[in-house]
Amino acid sequence: MPDSLHGSPTVLRMILGRQLQALREKAGLTFQQAANAIYSSEWTIRRMERAEGGLKPLTLKSLLVAYGVTDVREIDAFLALARDASRPGWWHSYGDALPDWFKVAIGLEESASVIRAYEPQVVPGLLQTEAYVRAITAASFPSENQEDSERKVALRLARQDLLKRPAPPEYRVVLEETVLRRPIGGAGVMRGQLQHLIDMAAQPSITIQVLPFTAGWHPAMYGMFWIYRFPDDTMPDVVYSESLTSAYYLNKPDETTQYTDALDRMTAQAATPDQTITMLRNILKEH
């Protein structure tokens, strides 16, 4: 158990869950046996290991003892981690504007050291201008009242603070050429968005590559996805993808590796970062 861990509550819960799983397996206990030891249900143990919900200190302490953890300092370290994992993230205040299935994604990006993304339809949220955000929000929720729309816009812009940190995550994005040519919000909005991409690409932590039409078929013609990598070696890569009303998260290496390999191949097919800047400037002239 490390002396201290840093990250969003989402990732801390995942780290704690993996450590509890390792302790249970080391103790040679099944889910049911672990549950019996703390007078609980098998489902409770499974939820704890899957990082679903918070952990009560007394329950956690009893479980650690059942797993053979008796050192007071180690137990205190686990309890401190559980307390940190139970604290709400900054996005908690935007709960009214945030779908439940997206909350985990924000927690992941807050703690990632590397974020890789493939976007076939729109500029990714972390790189959108305010005008582009407003245009997408208006088109996606045409019947929504102004107050609710403003909350969604504010949330999207608040997420972008991630890239303004003194030590931001490495952010690498592959965009389909379609993204740059789809007129969202009109010519003025697109001019501002294209220039913003050029400006953001100049930051040392950000790499933007465009996959041109001429690249032809590639391994991810099926939809967007993001890959999160974390500085803590107890955390596996996590893949995120979404549909209109839901999302899925993958963290099994045999699955996430396929996404990583696909994105590696797409990166090789895409224009280089320098070529991408040239493409962006040429398309900007068209507007």
Side-chain angles (χ1 to χ4, degrees):
M1 178 75 183
D3 293 332
S4 62
L5 290 169
H6 303 281
S8 72
T10 301
V11 170
L12 293 180
R13 282 195 300 271
M14 294 173 72
I15 292 172
L16 181 56
R18 289 176 65 83
Q19 291 177 339
L20 289 175
Q21 178 184 354
L23 286 172
R24 177 181 59 77
E25 292 174 347
K26 182 179 179 181
L29 299 179
T30 65
F31 289 110
Q32 189 59 60
Q33 288 170 332
N36 292 341
I38 60 170
Y39 304 99
S40 186
S41 68
E42 177 182 335
W43 181 241
T44 297
I45 303 299
R46 291 183 181 275
R47 282 177 56 84
M48 292 168 72
E49 293 185 7
R50 290 203 297 256
E52 297 176 353
L55 293 173
K56 295 179 180 179
L58 184 58
T59 301
L60 177 59
K61 187 174 182 179
S62 298
L63 193 60
L64 291 171
V65 172
Y67 291 164
V69 179
T70 57
D71 187 294
V72 174
R73 291 169 298 179
E74 189 170 1
I75 291 175
D76 286 345
F78 270 102
L79 293 175
L81 176 57
R83 284 194 298 272
D84 289 342
S86 297
R87 292 173 181 156
W90 64 262
W91 56 94
H92 180 76
S93 61
Y94 289 95
D96 58 318
L98 186 61
D100 288 340
W101 46 265
F102 193 61
K103 292 177 182 177
V104 174
I106 295 185
L108 294 174
E109 73 183 16
E110 281 289 309
S111 294
S113 57
V114 179
I115 303 173
R116 301 181 66 187
Y118 164 63
E119 289 284 357
Q121 303 296 342
V122 296
V123 173
L126 293 177
L127 298 178
Q128 293 173 2
T129 64
E130 181 174 344
Y132 192 94
V133 171
R134 291 184 179 280
I136 286 181
T137 302
S140 300
F141 307 96
S143 60
E144 196 165 60
N145 62 57
Q146 184 175 356
E147 182 179 355
D148 290 341
S149 293
E150 288 297 323
R151 291 285 290 165
K152 286 183 170 61
V153 171
L155 169 63
R156 182 65 60 90
L157 297 177
R159 279 180 58 212
Q160 297 179 359
D161 288 343
L162 177 73
L163 300 181
K164 301 173 186 175
R165 292 176 179 174
E170 184 180 343
Y171 190 47
R172 293 183 251 158
V173 181
V174 175
L175 303 174
E176 291 280 1
E177 185 176 345
T178 305
V179 173
L180 309 178
R181 297 191 178 278
R182 175 171 286 111
I184 292 177
V189 172
M190 289 305 299
R191 280 197 301 272
Q193 181 61 72
L194 289 165
Q195 184 59 57
H196 185 62
L197 289 174
I198 293 170
D199 296 340
M200 294 298 283
Q203 296 189 22
S205 62
I206 297 175
T207 301
I208 301 174
Q209 291 182 258
V210 172
L211 197 61
F213 294 135
T214 54
W217 178 264
H218 61 74
M221 298 291 285
Y222 312 103
M224 61 78 67
F225 64 90
W226 306 336
I227 304 173
Y228 301 101
R229 180 159 292 171
F230 306 93
D232 191 287
D233 58 10
T234 65
M235 277 290 294
D237 289 355
V238 178
V239 170
Y240 167 86
S241 187
E242 64 185 37
S243 61
L244 184 63
T245 58
S246 63
Y248 65 80
Y249 299 84
L250 304 173
N251 64 4
K252 295 180 179 179
D254 59 338
E255 293 178 318
T256 59
T257 297
Q258 294 185 52
Y259 284 84
T260 301
D261 290 346
L263 196 46
D264 286 343
R265 294 198 297 274
M266 291 158 61
T267 298
Q269 285 179 263
T272 66
D274 288 341
Q275 291 169 339
T276 291
I277 296 299
T278 299
M279 288 185 66
L280 288 167
R281 286 174 175 159
N282 289 338
I283 296 173
L284 179 59
K285 291 177 183 178
E286 297 174 12
H287 288 277

